[in-house]
Amino acid sequence: MSKVVIAGADPDELGAALSERGADVSYAEGTANRPALEEAGIVDADTLVVTDAGLATSIAVAKDLNPDLRVVVYTRDSVPEFVKGQAGHIVDPELLDADTVAEEII
């Protein structure tokens, strides 16, 4: 079973789409800082999904805790330049719906 942590709100219901495909989904609350990521289970996660470009700094923290983590940014907003080197995929929900992205993550 794939373990996915989502940082940010989930307006497109990617978490539900992932759960329907058998993923164990948890959410890093608030600003997705180190304690929130740890509480959400980032150390054992396979994938971090960031749905809010404002939480981009959580990627570096998550990768520090789990270097093998796959990172997917799923947002309509522009992401900071440093994210482009850390994220495996940057996807605009206007281009790919949650079901399609969930299939790719699982």
Side-chain angles (χ1 to χ4, degrees), residues 42-93:
I42 200 68
V43 173
D44 299 318
D46 301 299
T47 306
L48 170 66
V49 176
V50 178
T51 61
D52 179 343
L55 299 178
T57 56
S58 67
I59 296 170
V61 175
K63 294 285 278 180
D64 183 52
L65 292 166
N66 182 345
D68 297 325
L69 191 66
R70 178 170 62 169
V71 177
V72 176
V73 178
Y74 190 62
T75 182
R76 290 170 179 79
D77 301 323
S78 296
V79 296
E81 192 63 35
F82 75 88
V83 170
K84 295 175 182 174
Q86 294 180 325
H89 303 286
I90 301 172
V91 182
D92 184 335

Side-chain angles (χ1 to χ4, degrees), residues 13-33:
E13 300 183 3
L14 180 56
L18 288 162
S19 291
E20 288 174 8
R21 286 165 179 73
D24 177 13
V25 179
S26 60
Y27 293 84
E29 299 296 327
T31 60
N33 59 13

